[in-house]
Amino acid sequence: MTCGALIPLSFAELSAWAELHRVDDVQAPICSLADLVVLKRIVGRERDLVDLRDLDAAHGECPTVTLVGMALKHRCCTSDQTVY
């Protein structure tokens, strides 16, 4: 991701895009695979890069345009910069 200054999204913003899944009889908000990929690309730690390779291997090439990516682009990037 190329961005002048990364302005983090709030928990409320991220949770609004979460998908509800039942886990051990409890409804749990889970981010989508595509949003997880965007978030891991943004952070870019070595562990995240390993996770991204594993996700690509397990799911094929993951989508790169998501609600999180669009929100980040809107908040911190000019038109000549890239958001995953």
Side-chain angles (χ1 to χ4, degrees):
M1 174 176 183
T2 304
C3 227
L6 181 61
I7 301 170
L9 296 173
S10 70
F11 177 79
E13 289 169 305
L14 289 173
S15 65
W17 299 316
E19 301 168 354
L20 288 177
H21 295 276
R22 187 162 293 283
V23 178
D24 292 333
D25 293 324
V26 175
Q27 286 288 93
I30 310 287
C31 71
S32 70
L33 174 60
D35 285 341
L36 178 63
V37 168
V38 168
L39 294 169
K40 288 196 167 284
R41 285 183 177 152
I42 289 168
V43 176
R45 298 171 297 209
E46 185 59 35
R47 178 70 242 177
D48 296 307
L49 300 177
V50 170
D51 290 343
L52 287 168
R53 287 190 294 271
D54 291 345
L55 288 168
D56 278 343
H59 299 280
E61 189 172 333
C62 294
T64 58
V65 177
T66 68
L67 291 173
V68 168
M70 291 186 316
L72 288 170
K73 183 173 183 175
H74 175 72
R75 291 178 85 169
C76 68
C77 295
T78 63
S79 61
D80 64 338
Q81 295 174 317
T82 303
V83 172
Y84 294 102

